[in-house]
Amino acid sequence: MPRGPFKSVETKYMEEREAALTALGRLDRRAFLKVSLATAGVVAAQGIVNPQSFQPIRVASAAEAGKGEPFRIAYISDSHLYDRTINDRFVNSLMRAVDDVNAMSPAPDFVLYGGDLAQLGQARELDLGAQILKNLKVPVRMMVGEHDWYLDMGEKWRDLFGPPTYSFDHKGVHFVVLNSVVEKDFWTARKLTPMQRMKTVAGLDNGMQSSFTVGDEQRAWLKKDLEKLAPTAPLVVFSHSPLYKLYKPWNFWTDDADEVQAILKRFKNVTVIHGHTHQMLTNRIGNIHFHGMLSTAWPWPYAPQGLPELTVQMSRPDPFDPQDGCGDGQITVHPDGLVDKLYNLWNRNPVNVERSYLASKGTRNKPAASTLTRY
Ligand SMILES: [Fe+2]
Ligand SMILES: [Fe+2]
């Protein structure tokens, strides 16, 4: 029988995968466009609004006149990269997020990376992440997650990105970045290897590890860092785990959250933006407004109890669409330090949660509930 040009779906997939990964090794722009074009076709077929770039949003109101201009930042979080030869799906997802951010017009002032860049803290995973993030056209502010840290206790991460705890000022707003995944030593007495320690931390509900904390040292640093600020100063805190107690069995929890909140209490408005929970999550505790970020890798289900009342829930993702429930987002920071956040959900319409919704304790500007199928 004559052999034609037929190639099986598997062969074609493997060839395309190889080409994309080779291009990525050369930091080739075409690799990024390839991901964008492939995903654009899928979402266009589903009739989704403006899927590939962010929605323009209102960035000023009369009440703010004379108090400085709001500005936008973008976020990308929880990419959980394996070595690219093991899992190219998560690699493609992070590339898609980089493309999304590069397509924002006007460009954001900077990007926050929300932690868990790697899956098991391995040098090749972190190097791969750093290589992909280098394609961002605007500066990126890095935050560490537990998956980045517990193989070598942050050595490689610090080499690539610097100290995990720092602060900076941008357009009149004070930003603080914390390492909120500090755990008590559960490994020495058990004689665990570095990889056993890493895998224990990566298994959120294994019951062996201790809870995340910010810890005494960073809390003392935070107090000192904030000392110079007036109570009316706009303040945004980035943490990987939520700085409140949501659900301990899954480590959706920071054990010294009460102490951290006490340090933040004297400020009129505080915004905390966190990763780790991989879902749409919104909370308010007194003066502190909390915003969870989406993951580019997978969405977690909601915790079986303790879901904050203000959370605008997303319906359960489609199990047959690997990027459903994932995405990235943009945050408009207002001069008072409160934010509007936009969840740029891939393959779904975006969801905007305005600061007035939190400020009014959910009585104003409540986002519409999702009408998508629940699986
Ligand atoms: Fe994560
Ligand atoms: Fe995490």
Side-chain angles (χ1 to χ4, degrees), residues 168-277:
F168 59 96
D169 293 294
H170 184 79
K171 293 187 176 169
V173 178
H174 189 66
F175 288 87
V176 173
V177 185
L178 296 173
N179 170 4
S180 67
V181 296
V182 177
E183 294 201 15
K184 276 194 227 100
D185 184 347
F186 62 86
W187 50 89
T188 306
R190 291 184 170 94
K191 297 189 169 52
L192 300 187
T193 64
M195 188 47 98
Q196 284 170 329
R197 174 179 61 207
M198 177 68 253
K199 286 189 170 170
T200 304
V201 175
L204 289 174
D205 60 353
N206 54 36
M208 193 200 288
Q209 61 187 310
S210 59
S211 301
F212 296 145
T213 64
V214 170
D216 297 344
E217 208 179 306
Q218 275 185 101
R219 288 204 315 276
W221 174 88
L222 180 64
K223 231 186 233 169
K224 184 132 192 50
D225 183 74
L226 301 180
E227 224 170 47
K228 57 188 180 293
L229 299 179
T232 50
L235 175 59
V236 178
V237 179
F238 297 141
S239 65
H240 181 66
S241 55
L243 289 179
Y244 60 95
K245 296 176 171 178
L246 172 52
Y247 190 62
K248 197 167 188 173
W250 292 355
N251 248 348
F252 284 10
W253 184 276
T254 304
D255 223 33
D256 54 354
D258 297 343
E259 287 96 316
V260 179
Q261 288 172 21
I263 298 170
L264 303 175
K265 208 176 171 129
R266 72 179 180 89
F267 293 94
K268 186 163 176 271
N269 294 321
V270 182
T271 295
V272 173
I273 298 170
H274 67 86
H276 186 61
T277 48

Side-chain angles (χ1 to χ4, degrees), residues 307-319:
L307 189 67
E309 234 174 81
L310 290 175
T311 299
V312 179
Q313 292 189 48
M314 62 184 186
S315 55
R316 189 182 282 269
D318 178 354

Side-chain angles (χ1 to χ4, degrees), residues 144 148-160 162:
V144 77
D148 303 317
W149 197 258
Y150 281 92
L151 183 64
D152 62 2
M153 301 309 288
E155 203 181 311
K156 176 69 183 175
W157 194 93
R158 285 192 302 265
D159 273 359
L160 286 168

Side-chain angles (χ1 to χ4, degrees), residues 1 88 122 127 133 138 171 174 194-195 203 205 225 259 266 271 279-280 284-285 305 310 351:
M1 208 163 85
D88 59 317
Q122 301 185 85
D127 278 333
L133 293 176
V138 292
K171 293 187 176 169
H174 189 66
M195 188 47 98
D205 60 353
D225 183 74
E259 287 96 316
R266 72 179 180 89
T271 295
Q279 58 198 201
M280 288 167 56
R284 178 175 165 186
I285 300 173
Q305 58 198 49
L310 290 175
V351 176

